[in-house]
Amino acid sequence: MRSREYGPDLTPPWKRQQPAPEVAAERDLVVEDAATGYCGAVVRCERTAEGFTVTLEDRFGRHRVFPLVPRGFLLEGRVVTLVRPAAAAPAAGPARTASGSVAVPGARARVARESRIYVEGRHDAELVERVWGDDLRIEGVVVEYLEGVDDLPAIVAGFAPGPGRRLGVLVDHLLPGTKEHRIAARVTGASVLVVGHPYVDVWQAVKPSSVGIPGWPEVPRGEVWKEGVCRRLGWPVDPPAAWRRILASVDSYRDLDPALLGRVEELIDFVTQPD
């Protein structure tokens, strides 16, 4: 019968090679290569086509690269196995909302303010909610949509803005000389702020790189803009489906153009500041 003290190859226990202790190859650790006697301080560990290696620097500043193999080095005269150092833990920091604000874990939505933010359409409202939703709930700000700005003067009059009851409005394509610009001038006042972005539609406020397209195409006047965009991008001419695709590509403020970011932040500040 084979003795339990012997391994399968019948090597006696006093001749078996014991595993060497593992030591992390931290920078500046001084070791000696067991095969060549080269002594130096660890400079770096990296992955190569042949496997992981360690670079040592001797006292003359010369570098040599060695494979990370079992029992390959001596540390203070003892045989050791160098291993890659553990990856550094990511720096701890406060969690952020999609808008980049500091998140408030466990915060409950505030009771809605009398002040409101109006946006032009449902897509605008959904985009604002996706990026600023957490912030708006903490601030108690409700966002509603208008379905166009033609009736904005009557809507503002019905809202009856005043102290403690402010109204912020986000308008598409707010450029000097446009119909939207003239309407905005009629309603702007101490308790009403109308801001806008230069885009034909809020779709264009999403960065093309986030959507995975080279850019937003030009659509001739007289053609329905959203349908024209779908045609030129090779998408099915289905604006609701196209919008779902665009909205799904937005994870945070980084996916939006600064021209929209600044205007929404301006509106939130306006409706939340004390009178």
Side-chain angles (χ1 to χ4, degrees):
M1 293 181 63
R2 181 181 300 168
S3 170
R4 293 182 182 180
E5 295 182 357
Y6 288 78
D9 59 355
L10 300 182
T11 303
W14 56 88
K15 290 187 177 180
R16 291 179 197 162
Q17 191 176 62
Q18 298 300 314
E22 293 186 348
V23 176
E26 301 286 355
R27 187 177 177 86
D28 296 330
L29 178 72
V30 177
V31 295
E32 178 184 340
D33 177 56
T36 64
Y38 184 92
C39 185
V42 173
V43 175
R44 61 182 173 272
C45 285
E46 56 191 343
R47 183 196 296 269
T48 69
E50 289 75 30
F52 288 100
T53 63
V54 60
T55 301
L56 303 182
E57 180 182 76
D58 68 12
R59 60 194 180 93
F60 301 108
R62 295 173 300 198
H63 288 190
R64 284 188 63 178
V65 180
F66 299 93
L68 284 182
V69 295
R71 303 178 61 86
F73 298 89
L74 300 176
L75 175 62
E76 297 178 349
R78 296 183 299 116
V79 176
V80 298
T81 297
L82 286 188
V83 295
R84 288 178 298 152
R96 298 282 175 174
T97 66
S99 72
S101 301
V102 176
V104 183
R108 302 185 61 172
R110 175 175 174 168
V111 175
R113 299 172 183 262
E114 290 189 62
S115 298
R116 292 285 189 274
I117 291 178
Y118 285 173
V119 296
E120 193 164 336
R122 182 170 62 85
H123 292 179
D124 306 69
E126 290 175 345
L127 188 59
V128 169
E129 163 62 26
R130 190 168 184 90
V131 176
W132 288 274
D134 291 338
D135 308 65
L136 293 170
R137 279 181 281 280
I138 290 177
E139 295 291 348
V141 176
V142 175
V143 175
E144 302 179 17
Y145 61 92
L146 304 169
E147 292 290 3
V149 298
D150 291 345
D151 297 328
L152 184 58
I155 293 172
V156 172
F159 182 80
R165 187 175 171 81
R166 295 186 171 206
L167 180 61
V169 185
L170 178 68
V171 177
D172 294 346
H173 204 232
L174 189 62
L175 299 173
T178 60
K179 174 191 70 174
E180 291 83 0
H181 193 269
R182 292 191 293 272
I183 292 174
R186 291 173 55 189
V187 300
T188 298
S191 299
V192 180
L193 174 65
V194 181
V195 301
H197 54 70
Y199 313 116
V200 175
D201 190 273
V202 78
W203 286 19
Q204 291 178 300
V206 181
K207 292 179 179 178
S209 58
S210 297
V211 185
I213 59 176
W216 291 108
E218 294 288 336
V219 178
R221 297 190 63 168
E223 184 177 355
V224 177
W225 189 84
K226 291 177 180 176
E227 294 180 0
V229 167
C230 292
R231 291 189 189 98
R232 286 161 179 79
L233 292 177
W235 297 353
V237 182
D238 184 349
W243 171 243
R244 290 193 294 272
R245 177 176 180 171
I246 295 166
L247 186 63
S249 70
V250 176
D251 294 318
S252 75
Y253 72 95
R254 297 182 180 87
D255 298 306
L256 302 183
D257 192 273
L260 178 67
L261 295 174
R263 302 294 74 76
V264 175
E265 296 286 351
E266 187 177 355
L267 290 178
I268 294 174
D269 289 344
F270 177 76
V271 299
T272 57
Q273 68 183 0
D275 289 289

